[in-house]
Amino acid sequence: MEKQRLTLEYPLQARSANIIWDMVATAGGLQKWMADVVEELEDGGLSFTWGENIDNRDTRVAHVLEKERLSFIRLHWDEEDDEYYWEMRMVRSDITGGFHLVVTDFAEVDELDGLRVLWDGNMDLLHRCSGI
């Protein structure tokens, strides 16, 4: 089944591009809000693990397709079709000078609401753990 593109935009409370970049584009930053464990792999990929109990762990590997420092990072889950990716893009408002994080992801039509809830929860964790 073909997936649909979902684009979400979240205002951030940080004026420092470096702080935001560290939270969205490094294993250490992502581990603070996106997964229980995020590890950088030798081939440049990132391993994301959710769940602390060995019996209930889920691990997925993503590879960076493209990134531009202080601008965006585009990743691809290993088990997904090549045409699908997920991206986090930092956008500065010309009016306020503040940043927004624009997230692009893909899901099947009947899973779009769940994906939106997932990203809303992730952003809530990002705000709570970092203040941005």
Side-chain angles (χ1 to χ4, degrees):
M1 180 178 264
E2 187 173 321
K3 294 185 176 188
Q4 301 295 310
R5 181 181 177 143
L6 177 66
T7 302
L8 304 165
E9 186 170 340
Y10 299 95
L12 301 175
Q13 302 301 317
R15 297 216 184 267
S16 167
N18 286 315
I19 291 172
I20 298 167
W21 185 252
D22 286 345
M23 294 301 291
V24 302
T26 67
L30 289 165
Q31 183 170 301
K32 291 178 182 175
W33 64 278
M34 193 163 186
D36 295 315
V37 178
V38 180
E39 298 174 316
E40 194 166 334
L41 303 174
E42 288 182 16
D43 66 359
L46 293 168
S47 172
F48 293 80
T49 302
W50 295 269
E52 296 185 15
N53 182 335
I54 266 190
D55 296 331
N56 288 333
R57 270 194 199 155
D58 181 30
T59 299
R60 296 179 75 187
V61 173
H63 283 89
V64 177
L65 296 175
E66 189 177 356
K67 75 177 173 181
E68 184 178 318
R69 182 166 166 66
L70 303 178
S71 180
F72 74 94
I73 184 168
R74 181 178 291 179
L75 302 110
H76 174 267
W77 294 116
D78 274 1
E79 68 275 5
E80 296 287 328
D81 291 335
D82 287 344
E83 65 190 283
Y84 301 118
Y85 61 89
W86 53 287
E87 177 181 281
M88 293 178 285
R89 182 173 295 270
M90 299 166 43
V91 178
R92 185 184 286 266
S93 168
D94 291 335
I95 297 170
T96 66
F99 284 96
H100 289 237
L101 192 64
V102 178
V103 174
T104 301
D105 205 343
F106 292 84
E108 294 180 10
V109 173
D110 60 341
E111 296 175 349
L112 285 172
D113 288 338
L115 185 59
R116 183 176 284 110
V117 168
L118 177 71
W119 277 109
D120 287 350
N122 283 343
M123 287 302 117
D124 183 52
L125 286 171
L126 174 64
H127 290 307
R128 284 191 285 145
C129 79
S130 68
I132 65 171

